Amino acid sequence: MQHTSLTGSGWDGSPEGKAYSEFNHHLAGTLVILIGLGELHGGFGASPFSWTRFFVPDAMLAAGTYLVIWSDHDAWPIGPESFTATFFGNDSETLQHKVYALLLLFIGSIELLRRSGRLSPRYWLLPLPAFAVIGGLVLFLHSHSDHPSAHKIALHHATLGMTALMAGSCLIVSEYARATPAALGFWSQLPVRLKLAWGILVLIIGVQLLLYAE
C-alpha cells in the first residue's frame, strides 16, 4: 500500500524516493569507478594487470542488468506499470533510464567480445567512446521537473554530461591516433596520454555519482 501511495508525483522528493534514487546513483558510481580503474592500465601501460580490462564489460553488464530491473520503482518489471507503459508511455525520464540500461548491456557485450579477441579491436573501437559522448549529451536533456531539488539535480547531471563528453572525446582521439602512429611524429605519446585522461575522467564520473545527493 505504501508503494502504491508513493507512485507518481508523491514519490519524487519523498524520503523513500530520495533514498532509492541516491542508492541507484551510488551503486552506479561504484561500478563506474571499477571501469575507470580497469582503463587506467592502458594509460600506464601496466601489462601485468591486463586482466583488469575486463572490469569495463563486467561493470557495464552489471549496471545494465540492475537498471533494467530496478531503475524506477513504479516501472516494469518491479512496479505496477506494464512493459508497454514503461517503454511506450509518456514518462520520458523512465524511458531514458531503461534505454540507457539497454545501451549498457549492448556496449558491455561488444566490449566483452572485443576484449576477449572475438571481435576485431580495430573495427569495434567506436561504440564505447560513442556511448560516453551520447550518454553525456543525453544527461543535458534528462529532467526531473517534478522533483523539489530539480535545479540541483540538473546541475549535477550537466556536470556529469560535460565530464562524459570530455572522456569519450579523449578515448576517440586516443584510439584512432594509435592506429596512425607514423603521422603523429612529435606527438607519438598522445594516444597513451589521452587513454590515461579517459581513465581519470571516468574515475571522476564515478566519484561524482558517489557524491550524488538530493
Side-chain angles (χ1 to χ4, degrees):
M1 291 176 63
Q2 182 185 28
H3 180 280
T4 303
S5 67
L6 290 172
T7 299
S9 60
W11 175 259
D12 284 342
S14 69
E16 295 84 357
K18 288 181 179 180
Y20 191 90
S21 178
E22 288 174 358
F23 174 81
N24 283 353
H25 282 82
H26 297 165
L27 178 62
T30 302
L31 294 171
V32 170
I33 285 176
L34 285 177
I35 292 174
L37 291 174
E39 290 295 80
L40 281 181
H41 85 275
F44 287 116
S47 56
F49 301 100
S50 61
W51 53 269
T52 60
R53 70 188 185 280
F54 290 106
F55 281 1
V56 177
D58 290 347
M60 294 184 76
L61 291 172
T65 301
Y66 179 86
L67 288 175
V68 162
I69 301 172
W70 289 287
S71 63
D72 297 270
H73 85 292
D74 55 348
W76 178 91
I78 63 169
E81 289 185 0
S82 65
F83 176 90
T84 303
T86 297
F87 284 93
F88 302 100
N90 297 321
D91 189 345
S92 61
E93 180 186 337
T94 297
L95 178 61
Q96 286 176 8
H97 289 159
K98 299 298 185 184
V99 170
Y100 203 80
L102 294 175
L103 284 174
L104 279 167
L105 292 173
F106 178 64
I107 304 299
S109 299
I110 290 176
E111 284 298 306
L112 181 61
L113 294 172
R114 186 174 75 87
R115 292 164 192 250
S116 301
R118 299 179 183 180
L119 289 177
S120 170
R122 180 179 179 183
Y123 296 109
W124 291 93
L125 293 173
L126 187 59
L128 178 59
F131 173 69
V133 170
I134 293 171
L137 291 173
V138 169
L139 283 171
F140 287 100
L141 305 175
H142 192 60
S143 174
H144 291 250
S145 57
D146 293 333
H147 198 287
S149 300
H151 178 72
K152 178 182 178 181
I153 295 172
L155 181 61
H156 179 272
H157 282 57
T159 304
L160 278 176
M162 184 61 66
T163 311
L165 284 173
M166 291 190 295
S169 300
C170 284
L171 186 57
I172 289 174
V173 176
S174 171
E175 296 292 4
Y176 284 95
R178 193 190 303 271
T180 57
L184 293 175
F186 176 76
W187 301 100
S188 59
Q189 292 300 310
L190 182 63
V192 174
R193 291 172 182 172
L194 287 176
K195 186 67 179 290
L196 178 60
W198 149 258
I200 292 173
L201 287 168
V202 172
L203 284 175
I204 292 173
I205 293 173
V207 172
Q208 289 173 329
L209 287 166
L210 284 179
L211 297 177
Y212 177 83
E214 297 183 2

